């Protein structure tokens, strides 16, 4: 029996894939098909895969061409598989010619002519969402670059009151306007990274205009406003996604799973610190009006792991703030202390002071340590009493996670289009749960209302 093996992502399985599988099968008597895992595709730079692994496997199985289906999960696995399954022939499309010659040491290598005129990328790009970016900071430049890597997305407009921080190539190629409604009229989806004071109103207007929205946290300034916006999104079958790129870092997501699985025992304390002096000064902010206070700029990020690990319902929240004497809603350094039934937590945030931006999750068997800047990490450690038991984890993170949150956003829109509801689309894409978004809005709102806030003498 001649065993043949081939591999692929098979996103939106099409005629090119099927022809490849048919010819692969005709090379022998038994065909093994390796389907790439979501993680492995991310690692090898295929960030735009829309279908989850189980759907892609089902599509390959439905062709009836594979005698066995395996999952390709790591670099180098092909050698393991060829040896493990006693494969006689490895084959793949001619777009890979030469790339797998090293396998000739283990089996015959055959490159089959790739079918012209069809690809998953083209299929993904048939639906192009026109996107409007709302914001004035240099972060918008990074978002624009990342959007360019995402299939099915085209940035067509920027809405900003001041464009002096935006790069030339944006200004030359897009509609630039300070009229939010004019921008809405030209797009299908909106990304809001304006001053947090504007988020609630802009999200509401965008949803009422029938646009899917991704908004930088905090989405709103109270739990009730947050509920209202999610209800509006559900009513109109639109996605409203809380945008904190940290949630789309694989390292961060895996850390949460390990903690939830008890790797450090019961969590007794979480300490998250986020500071960044530039947030408060040019080029990030142009004036007091455009500067983001510490709570607005960093509290959502610092609170994310706390609420995701300890739950969104703290028993108490107390905020100590060093504020600008002229404006007590503008804190330049704050500490949020939270108590939960069996744990404490602190979120230390500052746009007017600098500290070590680490995250420490303390448990009864050990602790998690993520070094600065933990909020865009590709690395974390689990540290134990016995150092020889320490473990280190690395997961590549390209583009700080921004491109992955956009892919998740488009996948959520796909899910809604296929009849899913907003909440389950969010859960499936590993997005930030609505109850977490709500809890973050409540803390920010209570700060701005002066509830549970102690203003230290500046
Ligand atoms: N293919 C083809 N014609 C097309 C598109 C794809 O023959 N129009 C072939 C590819 O050459 C590949 C297989 O179909 O052999 C699966 O293609 P993809 O799903 O794009 O996967 P790819 O990233 O090419 O996977 O390690 C090898 C890679 O995993 C191959």
């Amino acid at each position: 029996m001649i065993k043949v093996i081939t591999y692929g992502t098979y996103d939106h399985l099409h005629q090119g894939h099927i022809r490849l599988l048919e010819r692969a099968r005709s090379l022998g008597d038994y065909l093994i098909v390796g389907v790439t895992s979501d993680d492995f595709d991310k690692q090898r730079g295929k960030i735009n895969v829309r279908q989850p692994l189980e759907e892609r496997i089902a599509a390959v199985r439905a062709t009836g061409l594979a005698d066995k289906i395996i999952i390709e999960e790591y670099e180098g696995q092909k050698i393991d598989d060829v040896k493990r399954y006693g494969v006689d022939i490895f084959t793949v499309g001619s777009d890979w010619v030469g790339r797998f010659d090293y396998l000739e040491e283990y089996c015959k290598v055959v490159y089959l002519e790739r079918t012209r005129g069809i690809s998953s990328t083209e299929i993904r790009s048939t639906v192009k969402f026109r996107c409007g970016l709302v914001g004035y900071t240099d972060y918008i430049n990074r978002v624009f670059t990342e959007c360019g890597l995402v299939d099915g997305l085209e940035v067509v407009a920027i809405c900003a009151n001041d464009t002096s921080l935006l790069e030339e190539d944006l200004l030359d190629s897009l509609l630039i306007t300070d009229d939010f409604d004019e921008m809405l009229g030209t797009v299908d989806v909106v990304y809001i990274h304006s001053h947090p004071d504007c988020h609630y109103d802009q999200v509401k207007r965008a949803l009422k205009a029938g646009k899917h929205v991704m908004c930088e946290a905090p989405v709103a300034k109270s739990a009730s406003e947050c509920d209202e916006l999610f209800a509006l999104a559900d009513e109109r079958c639109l996605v409203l996604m809380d945008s904190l790129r940290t949630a789309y870092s694989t390292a961060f997501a895996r850390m949460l799973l390990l903690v939830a699985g008890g790797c450090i025992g019961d969590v007794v304390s979480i300490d998250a610190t986020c500071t960044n002096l530039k947030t408060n000064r040019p080029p990030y902010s142009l004036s007091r009006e455009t500067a983001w206070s510490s709570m607005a700029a960093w509290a959502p990020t610092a609170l994310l792991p706390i609420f995701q690990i300890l739950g969104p319902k703290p028993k108490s929240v107390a905020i100590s703030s060093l504020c600008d004497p002229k404006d007590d809603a503008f804190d330049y350094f704050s500490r949020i202390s939270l108590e939960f039934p069996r744990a404490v937590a602190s979120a230390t945030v500052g746009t007017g002071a600098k500290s070590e931006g680490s995250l420490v999750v303390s448990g009864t068997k050990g602790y998690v340590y993520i070094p600065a800047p933990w909020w865009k990490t590709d690395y974390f450690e689990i540290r134990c009493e016995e150092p020889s038991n320490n473990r280190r984890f690395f997961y590549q993170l390209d583009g700080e996670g921004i491109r992955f949150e956009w892919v998740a956003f488009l996948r959520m829109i796909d899910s809604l289009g296929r009849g899913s509801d907003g909440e389950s689309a969010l859960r499936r894409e590993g997005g930030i749960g609505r109850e977490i978004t709500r809890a973050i809005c409540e803390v920010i709102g209570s700060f701005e209302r002066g509830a549970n806030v102690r203003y230290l003498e500046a």
Side-chain angles (χ1 to χ4, degrees), residues 1 18 30 47 111 129 152 155 166 181 199 251 323 355-356 406:
M1 172 164 76
I18 292 169
Y30 186 90
I47 66 163
Y111 295 101
F129 288 100
V155 177
L166 304 181
D181 291 320
H199 289 181
C323 283
S355 183
E356 178 66 16
W406 277 93

Side-chain angles (χ1 to χ4, degrees), residues 227-274:
D227 292 342
E228 179 195 347
L229 294 177
F230 278 127
L232 181 57
D234 290 344
E235 177 193 307
R236 293 168 182 244
C237 202
L238 293 169
V239 171
L240 168 54
M241 181 174 142
D242 187 347
S243 165
L244 278 172
R245 62 190 188 285
T246 305
Y248 299 91
S249 141
T250 306
F252 183 79
R254 288 295 152 78
M255 178 276 294
L256 293 177
L257 293 176
L258 284 166
V259 169
C263 70
I264 57 171
D266 297 331
V267 175
V268 296
S269 165
I270 299 177
D271 298 287
T273 300
C274 305

